[in-house]
Amino acid sequence: MRIYGVTGWKNAGKTGLMERLVAEISGRGFTVSTVKHAHHSFDVDHKGRDSYRHRAAGAHEVLLASHHRVALMQELRGAPEPPLSELLGRLTPVDLVLVEGYKRERHPKVEAFRAEPGNELIAPRDDTIRAVASDTPLQLDRPVFDLDDTRRIADFILAEVGL
């Protein structure tokens, strides 16, 4: 599977860009999956639901299935967070996996950048960032796209991964 990342600081526009890229690339007929890194605790289940009760009772894995979707929840219960490479291995093969976050991993990435939060660019110090998608003009040693130019960013990523 080919992987490509979208990275950047908080409020840089990563999730919006990811959403638009998934729609654009899958709209071109490619299969796309995503991996999103969270720096905080999260829950995809709700207290009181049967599956939540299974996990709360101590289940290591809970698989929830219907005719619309399948969700597999795994509790780490003190084990270390699995590395990205292991998580990618759990996915069903697709044409492209878009990865949000995982700044320190070595896969190629586009940095989402907005001037407003006042964060500095990551790209000048990170050679895995192959382009920047920005809401402000920038002079860099790599391509800079308008943050909202999803079509051109998708073209760039697809060319980079050979699709």
Side-chain angles (χ1 to χ4, degrees):
M1 285 189 299
R2 296 162 173 97
I3 72 164
Y4 215 91
V6 173
T7 195
W9 300 112
K10 184 177 179 181
N11 297 321
K14 297 181 303 293
T15 301
L17 179 57
M18 284 280 291
E19 181 180 16
R20 294 189 311 273
L21 286 170
V22 169
E24 175 71 24
I25 295 170
S26 64
R28 296 182 189 192
F30 295 105
T31 54
V32 180
S33 290
T34 66
V35 175
K36 159 83 171 111
H37 188 258
H39 291 283
H40 50 80
S41 181
F42 67 91
D43 207 335
V44 294
D45 209 359
H46 303 285
K47 192 172 187 173
R49 305 299 293 204
D50 293 351
S51 52
Y52 182 96
R53 292 170 60 191
H54 295 183
R55 286 189 308 124
H60 174 71
E61 293 185 328
V62 175
L63 186 101
L64 184 61
S66 76
H67 63 281
H68 291 287
R69 70 190 50 89
V70 173
L72 175 61
M73 293 171 279
Q74 299 174 322
E75 291 294 316
L76 295 178
R77 305 217 185 270
E81 179 180 340
L84 177 60
S85 59
E86 181 182 322
L87 297 173
L88 291 168
R90 296 179 187 184
L91 294 175
T92 300
V94 293
D95 296 317
L96 178 65
V97 178
L98 291 172
V99 177
E100 182 177 344
Y102 289 95
K103 283 183 197 75
R104 291 171 186 84
E105 294 288 334
R106 299 299 301 162
H107 59 276
K109 304 170 191 78
V110 169
E111 179 178 355
F113 179 79
R114 284 195 177 124
E116 174 61 31
N119 295 312
E120 54 183 69
L121 276 167
I122 301 167
R125 299 173 316 282
D126 187 339
D127 64 350
T128 67
I129 296 175
R130 307 293 292 266
V132 175
S134 175
D135 68 350
T136 188
L138 300 169
Q139 294 296 317
L140 291 173
D141 62 348
R142 62 204 82 189
V144 177
F145 300 101
D146 183 289
L147 184 57
D148 294 322
D149 195 347
T150 308
R151 184 187 55 75
R152 284 191 62 221
I153 299 166
D155 289 345
F156 177 80
I157 290 171
L158 291 173
E160 284 268 295
V161 299
L163 289 175

